[in-house]
Amino acid sequence: MVISFEGIDGSGKTTQAKLLVETLTVLNLNPLLVREPGGTAVGERIRELLLDKNLTISTETEILLYAAARAELLQEVIRPAVKAGRLVICDRYIDSSIAYQGYGLEGDLKWIINLNQQLAGKLWPSLTFLLDLPVEQAGQRCSGLRDRIEQREISFHKRVRRGYLELASCDPQRFVILNALWPVKKLQQAIWEEVRQRC
Ligand code: TYD
């Protein structure tokens, strides 16, 4: 099973993904946490390129670079883990490309979806937590140094948020939308309740 955490930058998804993995580990359920882009030697190098503020990258190249990092992660890490029966928790996955490059950058949605479907095959998440909050409040949370994606204008992040909400409304079985402004503990409990019921 693959569970993913999604949301705009500053939504707190990394914190929640880690907390879920801690809980599953305590219960001896042997989960695996992966992050995107990255999680492999090649993927981490691609991540450096993608987040480098000094580079200008075309939308098509950006789509392909995220997909390349994902292909590597699928091949090296996710597929073997799922084969071994492990529960894989993804801190971002395919929906990030749809929301950021498809909605945010207004890239070719069909192409992004087809490309990623080909890469992932059956390894689509069966449960996705979308941590949702207004862009302005998320921006206040990442007030430090901003990477190439984070530094994009507010209208970009608003399109990303809208994209996520549209994806979630099209697939209510898979998506659980949570209010990212809730306290960490409350979110953690809501997430655990959902995972407990489904796994
Ligand atoms: P993330 O690891 O969430 O950032 P950080 O650890 O710095 O909080 O993700 C890095 C950035 O990459 C983030 O701004 C979202 C973006 N991204 C895409 O645009 N498309 C994708 O397919 C993925 C996986 C991430």
Side-chain angles (χ1 to χ4, degrees):
M1 187 179 183
V2 177
I3 297 177
S4 59
F5 282 82
E6 296 282 356
I8 57 174
D9 292 283
S11 60
K13 58 179 178 40
T14 302
T15 303
Q16 290 301 330
K18 283 184 181 160
L19 286 169
L20 176 60
V21 167
E22 273 173 25
T23 308
L24 292 165
T25 304
V26 168
L27 294 172
N28 273 329
L29 291 172
N30 197 20
L32 176 72
L33 177 64
V34 294
R35 76 153 179 183
E36 280 212 30
T40 63
V42 172
E44 291 296 332
R45 298 274 282 275
I46 296 176
R47 181 185 175 93
E48 283 171 24
L49 278 177
L50 280 164
L51 302 185
D52 187 341
K53 270 195 270 211
N54 300 314
L55 293 179
T56 305
I57 304 179
S58 75
T59 301
E60 284 74 16
T61 306
E62 193 171 303
I63 291 165
L64 289 167
L65 284 173
Y66 278 111
R70 184 166 300 127
E72 197 65 17
L73 187 68
L74 276 157
Q75 177 67 20
E76 295 292 317
V77 183
I78 300 181
R79 223 165 254 127
V82 170
K83 251 195 189 151
R86 294 181 76 179
L87 184 57
V88 179
I89 312 297
C90 300
D91 179 358
R92 293 198 184 279
Y93 195 39
I94 292 165
D95 298 304
S96 281
S97 285
I98 304 175
Y100 278 77
Q101 282 67 50
Y103 285 82
L105 288 182
E106 298 172 315
D108 185 339
L109 262 181
K110 260 197 193 148
W111 179 50
I112 296 169
I113 294 168
N114 285 340
L115 175 67
N116 280 285
Q117 261 168 351
Q118 277 175 17
L119 291 178
K122 289 192 186 126
L123 292 177
W124 213 259
S126 35
L127 176 59
T128 297
F129 291 104
L130 172 57
L131 274 73
D132 180 58
L133 80 171
V135 168
E136 292 77 3
Q137 272 149 302
Q140 286 163 13
R141 288 180 173 186
C142 29
S143 51
L145 282 180
R146 286 166 194 248
D147 61 39
R148 201 179 59 86
I149 310 281
E150 284 167 352
Q151 70 175 8
R152 284 183 177 147
E153 58 200 15
I154 196 154
S155 55
F156 167 84
H157 294 283
K158 284 190 172 168
R159 286 195 298 277
V160 174
R161 183 188 185 203
R162 186 171 57 76
Y164 272 132
L165 291 170
E166 270 184 43
L167 283 174
S169 73
C170 290
D171 196 351
Q173 297 271 66
R174 168 160 76 90
F175 275 90
V176 175
I177 305 177
L178 294 165
N179 181 351
L181 293 171
W182 280 358
V184 171
K185 196 93 200 147
K186 185 172 172 180
L187 276 168
Q188 184 189 4
Q189 279 163 358
I191 289 166
W192 176 240
E193 198 45 45
E194 198 65 43
V195 172
R196 210 173 51 80
Q197 277 173 26
R198 297 216 201 184
C199 295

